[in-house]
Amino acid sequence: ALPYDRPGTDAVDAFLRELASTGRLLGGVGTGAAWLARAGALRGHRCTLDWAHVAQLAERHPDVVVSSHVYEIDRQRLTSAGGTGARGLAIAWL
């Protein structure tokens, strides 16, 4: 199951939507992209996440382009599969 499949996540969604609406840079590491997708912050963006959740995220959020890359940088959205991918993402972004 994706990490947000539990009660009490509506407040997180609202917070992420608010940040996204202001054009802020948002990022997710590991399964962090799942949270951004659920909040609608990844619509029309490329993202990646932990490989075990790629298929689920792609199925649940067809408006998100889910890749199998180690990290993705797409406009104001940064995502990585975690581990060394997070380091690669940080280096590429800087």
Side-chain angles (χ1 to χ4, degrees), residues 46-50 54 66-72 79-82 85:
R46 285 185 329 276
C47 76
T48 192
L49 72 163
D50 182 85
V54 166
V66 183
S67 85
S68 59
H69 294 143
V70 177
Y71 65 84
E72 288 286 351
T79 56
S80 84

Side-chain angles (χ1 to χ4, degrees), residues 26-72:
L26 297 176
V29 175
T31 56
W35 291 92
L36 295 173
R38 176 184 160 121
L42 289 177
R43 282 190 194 110
H45 288 80
R46 285 185 329 276
C47 76
T48 192
L49 72 163
D50 182 85
W51 65 269
H53 302 286
V54 166
Q56 280 183 305
L57 186 75
E59 182 180 317
R60 287 193 191 181
H61 302 281
D63 56 344
V64 176
V65 180
V66 183
S67 85
S68 59
H69 294 143
V70 177
Y71 65 84
E72 288 286 351

Side-chain angles (χ1 to χ4, degrees), residues 6 9 17-18 21 26 33 48 53 56 61 64 78 82 84:
R6 53 185 92 120
T9 59
R17 273 193 296 277
E18 181 181 335
S21 73
L26 297 176
T48 192
H53 302 286
Q56 280 183 305
H61 302 281
V64 176
L78 312 174
T84 58

